[in-house]
Amino acid sequence: MSAGKQLKPTESELEILRVLWEKGPSTVREVHEILEQSKDAGYTTTLKLMQIMHEKGLLQRDASSKTHIYAAAVSQENTQRQLLDKMIDTVFNGSASQLVLQALGNHKSSKEELEKIKQYLNEIEKQQRK
Amino acid sequence: MSAGKQLKPTESELEILRVLWEKGPSTVREVHEILEQSKDAGYTTTLKLMQIMHEKGLLQRDASSKTHIYAAAVSQENTQRQLLDKMIDTVFNGSASQLVLQALGNHKSSKEELEKIKQYLNEIEKQQRK
DNA sequence: ATTTGTTTACGAAGATATTCGTATATTCAT
DNA sequence: ATGAATATACGAATATCTTCGTAAACAAAT
């Protein structure tokens, strides 16, 4: 499976992807109006970015109507994994658990979340014993 | 407390920091020779980068002898935390445990490491009950 | 002292990412 | 049809990051 590797989105591109992951297929204006809330950029800036992302294969678009509809062409999970792997590699010297300890140490996680993580660890250990 | 905030190192800057964290205070040449093993760049490129990092406050240097000695001015842990926090924020929508699950799922961790994480989780839960 | 090798300093080219102005097309209301 | 509003396309300015050429300073060897 798998065609060519997905390339790493830039900071701005990630902001756009987040909107599309959350809201689903949207027009440039819709995306732009969300972005405007947290940063200030012109409309054509958002447009241009989304066009470039489309060229790169990060977004797909439906141009059948005058106002194009864009959607993420890469999944949130794949992108998260890609960026996370890179961070483990370049920032945590390849040690995922080092990163995990840091992450747990500096953020309040709810009891439920912690429980979920523990269960997960147990499963992994069971796997390993086999 | 807190003096001005530490600014985010770029990709290349991070490579240099990693060398200095590992080897301690070093000359440009020493750093460069390590970098050469994994990438190819000219000596003056490494020099320039380290000079810029010094200006930015990422490195400190001892210029008392002809050949300057550079050292990291930011700690590995602080930098890791900074980059990790940003990733949790921008890539994992603020959910540290989401990131943790991803990290555990996609990397083999040794039994010892997993055990360490579990102990840590227990401690956190103990804290929370208080 | 002159040459040779190593170092820093400086400036600028090249690459990539971000921003926006302007032109052109389309739609809709009048 | 004309004008106002909104969309896309395009090109280019700006900013940031990365790279390196070249010159000047210095040190060591001959």
Side-chain angles (χ1 to χ4, degrees), chain B:
Chain B
M1 71 165 63
S2 115
K5 205 183 171 194
Q6 157 181 350
L7 39 77
K8 188 178 120 175
T10 67
E11 288 290 310
S12 308
E13 290 173 343
L14 191 58
E15 289 177 317
I16 289 173
L17 281 173
R18 288 180 68 192
V19 173
L20 290 174
W21 284 328
E22 155 112 15
K23 294 190 57 85
S26 310
T27 64
V28 172
R29 177 141 316 267
E30 285 164 345
V31 171
H32 178 63
E33 261 157 18
I34 304 247
L35 291 185
E36 259 184 332
Q37 294 168 12
S38 46
K39 69 189 288 194
D40 74 332
Y43 172 81
T44 53
T45 300
T46 304
L47 170 66
K48 180 71 167 188
L49 266 173
M50 291 175 73
Q51 286 170 338
I52 291 173
M53 290 172 75
H54 176 240
E55 279 168 27
K56 288 191 189 174
L58 290 172
L59 301 186
Q60 57 185 146
R61 80 172 159 191
D62 173 357
S64 59
S65 59
K66 160 75 200 274
T67 301
H68 301 174
I69 310 280
Y70 288 83
V74 295
S75 76
Q76 180 167 32
E77 221 194 334
N78 279 350
T79 306
Q80 286 176 336
R81 185 156 61 226
Q82 183 200 5
L83 297 175
L84 183 58
D85 283 357
K86 174 146 198 177
M87 169 161 288
I88 289 170
D89 214 54
T90 62
V91 181
F92 289 86
N93 302 311
S95 166
S97 34
Q98 194 65 34
L99 170 140
V100 168
L101 287 179
Q102 273 267 19
L104 292 176
N106 293 286
H107 294 272
K108 309 269 181 255
S109 305
S110 75
K111 193 169 179 199
E112 293 72 30
E113 286 177 314
L114 291 177
E115 203 48 52
K116 215 158 82 181
I117 293 171
K118 260 172 78 174
Q119 281 178 5
Y120 197 71
L121 285 173
N122 283 332
E123 276 172 38
I124 292 176
E125 289 192 336
K126 240 183 268 174
Q127 285 294 340
Q128 282 188 342
R129 266 194 284 278
K130 280 181 184 169

Side-chain angles (χ1 to χ4, degrees), chain A residues 25-73:
Chain A
S26 309
T27 65
V28 172
R29 178 143 314 270
E30 286 164 345
V31 170
H32 178 63
E33 260 157 20
I34 304 245
L35 291 184
E36 259 185 332
Q37 293 169 12
S38 46
K39 69 187 291 194
D40 75 332
Y43 171 82
T44 52
T45 301
T46 304
L47 169 65
K48 180 71 167 189
L49 266 173
M50 291 175 72
Q51 286 171 339
I52 290 172
M53 290 172 75
H54 176 240
E55 279 169 28
K56 288 190 188 174
L58 290 172
L59 301 186
Q60 55 186 147
R61 81 174 160 191
D62 173 356
S64 59
S65 60
K66 159 73 200 274
T67 302
H68 301 174
I69 310 279
Y70 289 83

